[in-house]
Amino acid sequence: SQQGEEDPQALSIQEGENATMNCSYKTSINNLQWYRQNSGRGLVHLILIRSNEREKHSGRLRVTLDTSKKSSSLLITASRAADTASYFCATSVIGRDDKIIFGKGTRLHILP
Amino acid sequence: EAGVAQSPRYKIIEKRQSVAFWCNPISGHATLYWYQQILGQGPKLLIQFQNNGVVDDSQLPKDRFSAERLKGVDSTLKIQPAKLEDSAVYLCASSPGQGWREQYFGPGTRLTVT
């Protein structure tokens, strides 16, 4: 079963703009990860945020987590053509940090 | 460091035929996962191995799917007989050990069942 649900399902923005995608989930988690999938590099881990963290940065990525609302957001700043990909949130199963459940993903398209 | 290797990259078979996929994880990684990703959806865990033991196969359709990791390194996933709804990308991932959060994925095998 898929726990996380990303929103929007698809997003097109101009190169240089910021892209924001959201993830909502249903049950308590220990941590939440974001992965990117494109045809060139496959599925790649981007960032992990723990349930006791509210915000985390990695390069042009910023992730927030609101456990009271059971939601997370991924912000990509100054988007590039290479950011065109599908982005998935993956939530851990309580008691099983090594088991993650993926959402359906947001398809991001960066326009030149 | 070499990544997760999978073969074949593409496979087309007719329904009721059998098919096998192979995965070689990152060297030294004790945990290995097989996922099924249907077009437009996120990956769904089929089975998780810790060394050569099964940790979780709760979502593996055991009437037609089987997987093994005999020596705790390479793994094979088999489907017999295949159905049309098995058309998907089959992803293999590995991680250093149980409890490790980040997973490293291979390129996947795209299966088309006609």
Side-chain angles (χ1 to χ4, degrees), chain B:
Chain B
E1 177 181 81
V4 176
Q6 288 187 248
S7 68
R9 293 295 309 278
Y10 305 92
K11 189 75 177 178
I12 301 174
I13 62 172
E14 295 182 353
K15 60 184 179 184
R16 291 187 289 274
Q17 286 186 326
S18 63
V19 65
F21 312 125
W22 174 82
C23 173
N24 183 240
I26 292 173
S27 177
H29 279 195
T31 306
L32 185 146
Y33 307 81
W34 282 103
Y35 288 86
Q36 179 193 58
Q37 185 176 21
I38 291 172
L39 187 65
Q41 297 186 20
K44 183 184 86 170
L45 179 67
L46 293 175
I47 190 167
Q48 177 185 350
F49 291 95
Q50 177 68 18
N51 295 311
N52 59 351
V54 175
V55 174
D56 187 337
D57 63 358
S58 57
Q59 296 195 90
L60 186 74
K62 299 180 187 63
D63 58 334
R64 298 184 301 106
F65 286 64
S66 64
E68 60 183 13
R69 193 184 184 200
L70 290 175
K71 295 182 180 179
V73 180
D74 294 7
S75 176
T76 55
L77 175 71
K78 297 178 182 176
I79 307 175
Q80 182 178 18
K83 293 185 176 180
L84 295 176
E85 58 260 37
D86 297 333
S87 293
V89 176
Y90 290 84
L91 296 166
C92 179
S94 70
S95 73
Q98 205 162 2
W100 193 272
R101 301 176 186 94
E102 178 182 344
Q103 297 179 21
Y104 300 83
F105 285 81
T109 296
R110 183 177 298 278
L111 174 67
T112 302
V113 182
T114 62

Side-chain angles (χ1 to χ4, degrees), chain A:
Chain A
S1 61
Q2 288 175 312
Q3 145 121 289
E5 191 154 323
E6 292 87 343
D7 170 59
Q9 289 187 353
L11 178 63
S12 292
I13 60 171
Q14 293 293 136
E15 193 169 9
E17 293 181 339
N18 296 341
T20 300
M21 51 207 90
N22 304 295
C23 170
S24 58
Y25 56 92
K26 298 186 177 99
T27 62
S28 297
I29 60 171
N30 280 343
N31 59 74
L32 184 147
Q33 302 179 48
W34 285 90
Y35 283 78
R36 179 181 64 208
Q37 186 176 40
N38 59 29
S39 56
R41 293 195 59 197
L43 194 61
V44 175
H45 175 267
L46 293 177
I47 194 165
L48 178 149
I49 186 165
R50 293 182 173 81
S51 59
N52 62 354
E53 297 176 311
R54 291 296 166 258
E55 188 171 310
K56 202 159 182 183
H57 297 254
S58 176
R60 294 184 297 112
L61 305 180
R62 182 176 82 106
V63 170
T64 62
L65 180 64
D66 186 335
T67 53
S68 66
K69 295 181 179 178
K70 292 188 169 58
S71 68
S72 173
S73 68
L74 171 67
L75 168 68
I76 304 173
T77 59
S79 62
R80 305 169 181 169
D83 295 328
T84 293
S86 290
Y87 291 81
F88 297 91
C89 69
T91 51
S92 65
V93 175
I94 289 286
R96 288 278 315 277
D97 271 358
D98 56 356
K99 178 172 182 175
I100 56 177
I101 301 174
F102 286 86
K104 291 186 178 182
T106 291
R107 290 179 299 284
L108 175 64
H109 185 59
I110 308 300
L111 303 167

